[in-house]
Amino acid sequence: MLVGVAIFQKVKFSKHFPLPHLRALDSKHSFLSGFLIDRDCAAETTKAIFEYLSKPNGKWNAVVFKNKSAGTPFSNLTNEAAQAFGIKWSQFRQWERAALFPVGISESSQNAISKNVKKTIRRRMRRLQEAGNVQWKILHNDTLTPESIETLLKLENLGWKGNKGSSIKSNPSEEMFFVEMINNFRNAGRVFIN
């Protein structure tokens, strides 16, 4: 039974690490890079992956993750597994993703966020409202129409990603893949967009 997949690319050197290393697969279609693991077997599978990566006969000197989240259950598992095998994390840079409070967020969730982050989120919301009417909707399965998917892609293309040519809409084959993937998830009842 397959419980996890970890895909890596061999790299001779990079500006971040000048020796042969592995780079974890990352995708334009996700904010994260790393592993795809069944949540019911996450601890055991993560440990097995790090055990393999830490073998002394490996031909790599490091593993690079382009995007690694912090403070999530999975990032905690990867940190624990790395520590168990004597693997040290080194961070090249850190950033916070843009976030807004959806309508109806619980008070306990709001209390978990620092005052500075709340202030930043309120400022972002004011700036967004200056551009037009802001509404929160969760689209899933049947309510996620081809028109709403197209709107999402157009919005992403309007910002810095479109200007840099890194938005999904900037590459026709990436756009076709994304639309097909979202439609397949929708048909399986496994997608929502907020």
Side-chain angles (χ1 to χ4, degrees):
M1 174 171 80
L2 181 65
V3 293
V5 176
I7 300 173
F8 301 96
Q9 177 185 8
K10 291 181 183 178
V11 180
K12 289 184 180 180
F13 61 88
S14 71
K15 67 179 181 179
H16 294 300
F17 198 79
L19 298 171
H21 61 277
L22 298 177
R23 183 170 51 219
L25 176 72
D26 66 306
S27 167
K28 286 184 176 188
H29 309 290
S30 172
F31 288 126
L32 305 175
S33 61
F35 317 140
L36 182 60
I37 296 177
D38 183 327
R39 77 178 72 194
D40 295 333
C41 308
E44 302 88 346
T45 306
T46 303
K47 186 176 176 184
I49 291 169
F50 276 86
E51 182 178 16
Y52 176 78
L53 292 173
S54 66
K55 286 186 177 181
N57 60 350
K59 295 179 180 157
W60 48 85
N61 299 285
V63 179
V64 173
F65 292 82
K66 184 176 176 185
N67 293 308
K68 181 183 179 291
S69 64
T72 65
F74 182 68
S75 70
N76 295 338
L77 280 178
T78 58
N79 291 341
E80 290 167 14
Q83 186 176 11
F85 292 100
I87 298 172
K88 180 183 169 201
W89 288 107
S90 295
Q91 185 171 294
F92 303 126
R93 64 183 175 154
Q94 177 179 336
W95 65 90
E96 289 185 14
R97 300 205 182 279
L100 298 170
F101 285 134
V103 173
I105 187 170
S106 71
E107 191 173 326
S108 63
S109 294
Q110 287 190 37
N111 290 338
I113 300 170
S114 74
K115 287 182 182 181
N116 287 339
V117 172
K118 286 181 190 176
K119 184 177 175 182
T120 300
I121 289 173
R122 284 193 294 271
R123 186 182 73 246
R124 287 178 184 148
M125 180 58 89
R126 280 193 309 272
R127 289 177 63 195
L128 190 58
Q129 288 170 334
E130 289 169 5
N133 183 25
V134 178
Q135 297 179 7
W136 286 99
K137 293 181 182 178
I138 297 178
L139 303 176
H140 57 89
N141 303 338
D142 295 337
T143 62
L144 186 59
T145 64
E147 293 78 21
S148 58
I149 295 168
E150 181 60 24
T151 299
L152 173 70
L153 293 172
K154 283 180 182 176
L155 286 171
E156 183 207 26
N157 197 51
L158 287 175
W160 64 269
K161 284 185 161 189
N163 294 338
K164 285 181 69 176
S166 63
S167 69
I168 294 170
K169 204 159 191 55
S170 299
N171 183 322
S173 61
E174 291 284 346
E175 182 178 4
M176 284 175 42
F177 171 78
F178 179 81
V179 171
E180 181 181 347
M181 177 184 69
I182 291 294
N183 285 327
N184 287 339
F185 278 129
R186 183 186 65 209
N187 293 339
R190 299 182 62 201
V191 68
F192 75 91
I193 294 177
N194 186 353

